[in-house]
Structure formats: structure tokens, C-alpha cells
Amino acid sequence: MTLIAVVLYRNSAIEEVVVAAEGHNVALARSLSNTLWSDFGPYVTTVEEEDGDRLRNRSETAELNRLVNELTRGLPVLKIKIFRIDGLTVYSSQADQIGEWKDNAGFRRAAEDGFAASKHSYRHTFSAFSGEMQNRDLVESYIPIKGPDGRVEAVMEIYSDVTLAMARVTNNTISYLGGLFLISLALYFLLYVIVRRADRILNRQYIELDKARTNLQAKNGLLEHEIQQRRRAEAALQDARQDLEVRVEERTQELRREVTERRQALTALRNAKDDAEAANQSKSEFLANMSHEIRTPLNGIIGMAGMLRDSNLSEDDHHYAEVIRHSGESLLAIINDILDFSKIEAGRLQLETVDFDLPTLLDGVVQILTPEAHGKGLALPVFLDPEVPARLCGDEARLRQILLNLIANAIKFTRTGGVATQITLLDDITADNSVVLKFEVVDTGIGIATQAQNRIFEQFTQVDSSASRRHGGAGLGLAICKRLVGAMGGEIGVVSQLGEGSHFWFTLPLGRQDDAGSQVGWLEDLQGACAGLKVLVVDDNPVNRRAFEDQLTVLGCETSVLPDAHSALETLKAAAESAAPFSVAIIDHIMPETDGVALSKMIRTVPALADLKLVIASAAGLRNTGKAAREMGFDLALSKPLRPNSLIKCLRALLADAPATEGTLGNPEADPRSRASIRVLLAEDNPVNQRVMIALLAKSGVRVDVAGNGVEAIEAVRSRPYDLILMDIQMPELDGVQAARRIRELEGEMGHIPIIAVTAHAMKGDREKYLQAGMNDYLPKPINRAELLSKIDYWADRQRGEPTAGNRQRAAPSKAEPDAEDGGAKKKRGNRARSSKRKSGAS
């Protein structure tokens, strides 16, 4: 090991000497090339002479020799050669070597790779500048000489004398070897001492081990005694094991008897389960049949009552017809609640996930409940927080059902004031692109006693169950809401005090559509434009004032609210005089003492208020609103109850300085399109339902033909072209499902006529069954006139390839609706718009 260390040390030292000498040689080569190359570079690179004698006799050689001697004087340089790139020695300080050829590894590395290469050698004799030298250590370096373009033009070989450096290396090696020898001696002596001490320690340990052996022998006798005792114990354990095996065998027999008994019990339970499922199936079939049998006469009652109400009746007769219609719809709501609750109790409630627009859903709910709220003089505003996304995914139909139930309940138990609905964002879950929303319905009604709040969500429960109660109902609405909210992953609750109104709330997790932004789209474009806009709201209803103030503040408006015309006029004058006038005034139509029209006339008489934009907020169902608004002195008309979309459209028109929009408020059927060109085939076997449908369609201008069963319907389709077929399901000879399938098998345009199922079957799965049979849409009985006409307009336009009319509301196709052109082969994503009004019987 010592010799290896010495050799490694020497080789490392020699390598350092070579590296240092190479560095000096490279520096010298650069100095020589800088000095000589401008004059002799072309000679070296272009000389074609290859004879040594001729090269030695050239003047360039003599001049090079003189300059090299001058530049290397005093340096440890023994010889310098310059080679052409192909290896010819063009110059050498040892003249007899001129003309020789060089080809070794060092030369090739310098010439081809462009890197310097050096090696150490020992020469006994060597020809140098000063003559023959003896016993010299040399470093021989090949150094590339590169031109301006970086290419190697020649190679210079320099021999440096490193004899003194190598002598120092040898002396250092000898010293290093001596030091290692002394260290080895010291280590040997230390090892000898350690071995001697270890030997003494081992001797002591041997003596101790001998003593331990003696002790172990003594303990061995004790262990033999213990072994005997353990053997006796094992014998006892063996006896106990045998006894245990006997007991286990006895217990096994008992368990076998128990298993046999349990199997018999399980068989009995399975039989009971099968019986229960059969009974449940019978119950479902009974409910379906009862639903059909009850809805069929209800369709006649509600339809004929509606026709009577719209005819020329006296005031008393009109009231009687309205009572009949209202009673029929209340009965229908109770039937729907019972059916929903029975499905929930049977565990057959199925949720669906569809894309829907939340503002549109809220508008539809408010539109359904507006007549009832306005009939009682109640405000019905809706506030949608700007953080809530507009485009969501979830069970739209169940959400609409919950909102309709809660808001209808609030209207029923509220005499004055209003019912406000608010939706806010609780949580935005980015990981799965979903949100948690909180829905709140706040009323100014009679309130709920604290002791009754714990049981109002139970089925068949009324806050006031006495015979003298003012409000009826089956007590199922809130129970259904609780079950639906729970099934959708949310929570529901109520905060209320008797005489101070109620605050119902529920939370729901909903998905965010893939293309939905983080903000509500219909607010973003106005928040900047409305910033700082001064708006005055005049309304005697505090619920309306609060709703206007909240929504305008969200839009960035500077909002003031006042309850009467007198204070409003004074405030407007004062603002105009202070050089900070209001830009917009939203005025309620009907107010005590001074109504909105009178206030607008008073405002128009004040010159300082000439630029003020006036908006009339009316719940009276103004028709031709643009013209009516201008005639009353207003710029625009706004329908109540207040909805986000309507307020946004109004402000957008004001900011754009656009004329008042012509249209209809309140009644969606006030300006219907002529339907005289639409021909409909009605397939219905019930004479009462035939009369109801014919009356509804004829009053709306639709031409209708009647078929009494499925066979007659198919013959009618073959004999005459129709824009649409209204198909009853339960008919003699050939039912509606079979008739629809046969119509879809017809060739040409006959096989592609849109078919709407019109049926009293309203159980879960009925709609899907009809759509799979080739029908395009579904309409439950009793018939809602607005929904019927909306669907007729939609499918008639599609059948003819016409654009839908802009002033008439459309019914969206049902979920999973087959395209009208392929008779059911193509499925579309969506959700059927449900516009039938429901009167909740909860609480």
C-alpha cells in the first residue's frame, strides 16, 4: 500500500509539472505566433517545397531562426519546431530536422482537434539551442496555431526543460516515502500494543466464561426440574383440551340447529318481501290508475271552468267559474303531493341532472305565482346575488317544485306586505366545478309559533289543525320539500316568530356548466355602466322598496327609496337644486293618496326635472307597454313582481337611450300569433276531454280534427297532412303508444309529424316511456292552456321549418326529446318547461 501511495504521489506531481510546462509552452507559442505569424504565417502555410536542404537554405528559415533565438533567450526552451498542417517540418531550431514528417498522437490532436497535447520524457542526450545536453527531463508540447477564422493553420512543437522541477519531484517523493515508512512503523507499534491488551482482555473473559459455564450447569438442574413440572402441566392441558372439544362439538350442534332456524326465518322474510313488493306494485298500479281516473274528469272541470271564465259572464257567474277552477287546481295540487309523497315513501324517487339557466327558472316560478300574489296585493320580488353562476347543472324540475311550494305557501299565509326570494352563494368548490347555493323565502305573513316549527316538515302536519283553521291543505308540501332537499344533498329549515313572518331557507349543491363563468352573466355588462347612476325608487310597499334597493345597489347605482309621492317630489327638486340631480326615477303605479301617474305629471311640470328618466313599475298587466308608458308621461314600463332580468333590460334601454319596448306585461297570451294555418289532429276517446280540447284550440284559432281511437288517428294521418298530433294514451282498439309507433313506421312526411302525449298518466317513468315510443313531447292532464298553446306553437314551427315568433313564449322540448325529423332516433339534452300552476297544500 505504501508503494502504491508513493507511485500515485509521484505520478500526480509529474502531471502537475507537465500541465505547468504546457501552460508556459502555450503562452510562448501564442507570443511567437503574435510576433512572427503576420510575416511568416503565409510562408509556413503555403510553402510547397518539401526538400530539407532547400528549406534550410531559404532566407525565411534563417530569419525565423534569428527571431526564435531572440524571443527564447533566457527561457527553459530547448527546441522549437513548426509543422505544416500535413506534418511537414517547415522550421526547426535543430536544422537537420527541417523537411522531416511528423505523425504521432500529439501532433494529430493539435492539427485535427485544435487542442494542445503534451507529454513528459527523459533523454540521456538532447540537441538544444546551446548544443548537446545530457540527462534532461523534457516536456514536449504540440500547440495548434489558428487563423482569424478559428481553423488550424500550423502546429508548433516546443521542448521545455523541466529537469529541475523533476529533481524536486524526486526529492519530494523520497521525503514522502520516508514519512510513510515512519508512519508505518508507528502504526505497527500501535497495533502490537493493541493486540497485547486485547489478549489480556480475552484471558479475563475466558475466566469469566468458565465461571458462567459452572453456573449454567447448576441452572441446568433447575431447568430439568421445571421441564418435569411443565410436562405435568401439559398433560393437564391435554385433558382440558379434550374436554373443550367435547363442549365445542355440543355447541356446534346447537349452532347448526340455529342456522337451520335462521334459514327458515330468512325464507319466510324473502316470501314476505316478495309479498310486500307485489303489494307495492299493486299500490303503484292503483295510484297510477287513480291518478288517471281523477285527472280525466279534472281536465274537464278545470278546462270548462277556464272557458266559462273567459266568456261573457256576469260578475257573479265569473266568480262562480273562478271558484270552480281554483277548487279543481287545489284538488290537483293535493293529488300531485300525494303521488310525490307515495313515490318518496316507496323509495322510487329518481333525480335527474340537466343543464339549466337559473334566472330563467326563477322568472318562470314568479310568472306562475304572480296572479295569486297580485290578487292579494302582495309584492313578489326576487334577488339573485351576483356571485351566483347563471348556468348550472342539477334537477331543474325538483328545484322548481321546491321553490313553487315554499313561495306558494308564503303567499297563502301572507295578507299584506310581500314574499321575497333571495339566492346567494355559500361555497364555490373549484375541484369538482360545483357550487353550494342558499335559497331563502321571506314573507311578512302570520308567522309560526316556536313550538310548531319542529313538526311543520312532518307529513300530514298542519300548524293549525283545528276545525276552525283559516287555511286548508293536506300537510304534505313541506314534508315533500324536506325529502327532496335531502335527496339532492342539501338542508332545509325555518326561522319564524308568530305575527312577524317566516323565513324559510334551504341549501343545495349544484354543478356549474363547463362554459359558465364565475359571475352572473346578465350583471357583468351593466356593473360598470351603472356605477354612480343616481336612482330614486318610489313605492309604498316596503318589500318592494327593499328589493329595488338591493338589486340597484348590486349594479353600482346610488339608490334612494321613498314611500310616497310628496316626499319623492321634494327630494327630486332638492337634488336638482344642489347640482346632484337624479338620473332615473322608478315609480310604483298604484299608491295611496297620489298614484304614480299623478306623480309623473307633477314631475313633468318642473323644468329642472326635464332630463329625468321616468319608469313606471306596474303589477296591473299593462298592454302595449311602450305606448301606454309614453301616454302616462313615462319613458319605460317595468312589470312587477321585480325580477333581475326585467330590471336589467329596463336599465340597459335607459342607458342606451332606446325607446320603450313594445310588448306585453303580465299575461303571456295577450298578444298571440294567428294560428289559423295550424291544423292539429286530436286523438281522444273521452267526449268531455274532446269538448275541452276543441274549445281551447278553436278559441286560439287552431283548426282541429278528432279521432276517437288509435286506428282512426292512423287513418286520419294517411288521408290528410297535419302540423301536429295530440295523442291520448288510454284509448280503445289501439292505444296511443301503439298508434305512435305505427305512425312512425309510415313513409314520407307522415312518419315525421310531431306527436305530443296528452294523458292523465303522470307517474314517474310515464314520460320516458312515451318518448321512447316515438313521441316528441309530453303534456299532463288537466291541460294548462298556456302550456298547450306554447307547445303547439313550438312544434308547428319546427314542422314547417319556420323561426319561432319573438312575442310568444315557447315551451322547451322535454328532456331526452327525440328530434322531430327522425322520429325518436336522436336524443337532445334539455328539460321540458313546466308552466302548470300548483297551489301548495302544505302547512
Side-chain angles (χ1 to χ4, degrees), residues 261-323:
E261 293 173 357
R262 289 188 179 184
R263 285 177 178 172
Q264 294 173 352
L266 181 60
T267 301
L269 286 175
R270 286 176 179 170
N271 293 334
K273 176 177 175 291
D274 293 340
D275 294 341
E277 289 178 348
N280 188 51
Q281 179 65 25
S282 299
K283 173 186 173 183
S284 298
E285 293 175 357
F286 172 76
L287 287 174
N289 291 331
M290 290 303 299
S291 171
H292 180 272
E293 295 302 324
I294 295 175
R295 286 172 180 270
T296 297
L298 273 180
N299 183 52
I301 294 172
I302 296 176
M304 287 301 182
M307 297 300 296
L308 282 174
R309 183 192 58 180
D310 295 338
S311 61
N312 296 323
L313 298 176
S314 65
E315 184 176 350
D316 289 340
D317 291 339
H318 186 277
H319 174 70
Y320 299 152
E322 181 64 20
V323 170

Side-chain angles (χ1 to χ4, degrees), residues 549-611:
E549 184 176 17
D550 288 346
Q551 295 197 25
L552 290 170
T553 301
V554 166
L555 291 173
C557 300
E558 295 182 15
T559 309
S560 300
V561 294
L562 294 172
D564 58 80
H566 176 72
S567 58
L569 185 60
E570 295 300 324
T571 301
L572 289 172
K573 290 179 179 179
E577 293 174 357
S578 64
F582 285 91
S583 301
V584 179
I586 301 176
I587 303 172
D588 186 23
H589 187 185
I590 307 299
M591 293 187 294
E593 298 183 5
T594 304
D595 62 16
V597 177
L599 176 58
S600 70
K601 293 179 180 179
M602 296 165 61
I603 292 173
R604 292 308 185 196
T605 62
V606 180
L609 303 178
D611 296 331

Side-chain angles (χ1 to χ4, degrees), residues 608-628:
L609 303 178
D611 296 331
L612 179 66
K613 299 288 186 180
L614 297 181
V615 178
I616 181 170
S618 175
L622 294 176
R623 299 186 180 183
N624 197 9
T625 56
K627 180 178 179 182

